[in-house]
Amino acid sequence: MSKYLIAGNWKMNTNLDEAKSITDRLHSYLDYDSEVELLICPPFTHLSFLSELIDLSRISLGAQNVHSEKNGAYTGEISIDMLLSVGCEYVIIGHSERRSIFGEDDKFINKKVVNSLNAGLRVILCIGETLEQREKGETFEILENQLEKGLIGVEKIINLKIAYEPVWAIGTGKTANKEQISETHEFISKFLIKRFGENNIKILYGGSMNAENAEEILSIKNVNGGLIGGASLKPDSFLSIYNTAIKLC
Ligand code: PEP
């Protein structure tokens, strides 16, 4: 098992040419023997093309979202089977932008998590508090609630990862400080040990991670990787984070 997972969430960015150029750059650089797994999560439209382009043993491929149902009248949605059929291995579920902009609730998120894991997809379940919740002292309560509800019915944890993403740090240039990351990751780790009896589940940090702050963040105990938005669109920055992880192995 790799020691770190460095995951890029491209969000609604890049056309196919741009996606190809970022991916080519990553692909040509990657270290074969590294203990660090590099994952890209491009828009849905690029998945099929990129899975043909890359060697999936060097770069992993993920989607940014999925629908919980198998198929049917869900205009505009993408199913688990569709993702698997184009070589997609991972899916991000419950990103705060899905929760806040598209109104996804814990019940829907939980259904996606359970069905994706059962189908063999690797799931990155995102959790995190808003600034208001943090200022009211509710951070741990919110995280516990999102974990409990998001993981109802989950038994097989082999393909599960958690991303702690304080909402106030996503795309804002603000990162949580060392102490905040350390105490939240410890809390999540303890929750997972209690819930599953063991914790081999990677816990990623997400929120304005970049080439400059990666070393400090990835050195913190219980931080097993990063979910990276903005900096994952700049191959040199993304590779610098990847190299930092290699250095820390
Ligand atoms: C994200 O999209 O999950 C994220 C952490 O974005 P950024 O790195 O841009 O804050």
Side-chain angles (χ1 to χ4, degrees):
M1 194 157 81
S2 63
K3 288 205 177 140
Y4 286 102
L5 173 62
I6 302 298
N9 173 15
W10 293 6
K11 311 194 187 192
M12 197 175 73
N13 294 299
T14 70
N15 61 28
L16 195 56
D17 283 344
E18 291 160 344
K20 183 175 180 306
S21 129
I22 295 173
T23 310
D24 279 340
R25 170 88 181 97
L26 300 177
H27 206 246
S28 63
Y29 183 86
L30 280 195
D31 180 349
Y32 272 104
D33 298 322
S34 112
E35 290 184 275
V36 179
E37 182 179 357
L38 194 84
L39 164 68
I40 53 171
C41 300
F44 286 131
T45 47
H46 307 348
L47 288 171
S48 177
F49 175 80
L50 292 181
S51 85
E52 297 284 321
L53 183 76
I54 60 182
D55 173 354
L56 289 170
S57 65
R58 294 169 70 187
I59 306 183
S60 304
L61 189 64
Q64 299 169 22
N65 185 29
V66 71
H67 198 275
S68 58
E69 297 304 318
K70 247 179 146 35
N71 53 19
Y74 299 97
T75 301
E77 291 295 326
I78 299 288
S79 74
I80 293 163
D81 186 48
M82 291 171 196
L83 295 183
L84 289 167
S85 73
V86 295
C88 191
E89 306 161 281
Y90 276 88
V91 62
I92 299 171
I93 296 179
H95 191 280
S96 69
E97 286 152 18
R98 300 292 325 166
R99 294 178 191 258
S100 66
I101 304 172
F102 301 100
E104 292 193 8
D105 62 13
D106 288 309
K107 197 169 168 201
F108 187 35
I109 288 166
N110 174 245
K111 210 167 173 193
K112 297 179 188 213
V113 170
V114 170
N115 292 348
S116 297
L117 288 173
N118 287 345
L121 271 176
R122 298 183 193 163
V123 167
I124 299 175
L125 170 63
C126 300
I127 58 170
E129 81 289 356
T130 62
L131 188 57
E132 197 189 347
Q133 289 162 338
R134 175 163 281 275
E135 283 171 351
K136 282 200 212 148
E138 295 172 354
T139 299
F140 295 123
E141 193 187 316
I142 294 294
L143 297 182
E144 185 167 22
N145 194 39
Q146 289 175 340
L147 283 168
E148 250 162 27
K149 292 187 174 154
L151 296 174
I152 290 171
V154 170
E155 273 146 33
K156 271 201 276 170
I157 55 168
I158 183 155
N159 284 334
L160 177 66
K161 329 272 169 205
I162 304 294
Y164 168 59
E165 299 208 299
V167 178
W168 48 273
I170 299 178
T172 57
K174 285 185 204 159
T175 34
N177 65 35
K178 224 172 155 178
E179 197 186 19
Q180 290 166 329
I181 298 174
S182 172
E183 64 183 15
T184 44
H185 278 244
E186 186 186 353
F187 177 84
I188 294 165
S189 174
K190 284 189 174 154
F191 175 97
L192 295 171
I193 290 170
K194 201 164 147 211
R195 170 71 170 74
F196 296 109
E198 58 168 311
N199 184 13
N200 286 324
I201 302 171
K202 281 196 169 55
I203 307 169
L204 316 182
Y205 169 80
S208 300
M209 196 191 275
N210 56 40
E212 285 70 46
N213 59 27
E215 180 157 1
E216 179 171 62
I217 295 171
L218 293 171
S219 310
I220 299 170
K221 196 171 168 215
N222 296 310
V223 174
N224 314 117
L227 181 54
I228 298 135
S232 72
L233 290 163
K234 300 176 205 139
D236 289 343
S237 302
F238 196 46
L239 286 171
S240 166
I241 299 171
Y242 169 79
N243 281 329
T244 300
I246 291 178
K247 200 175 91 183
L248 293 171
C249 280

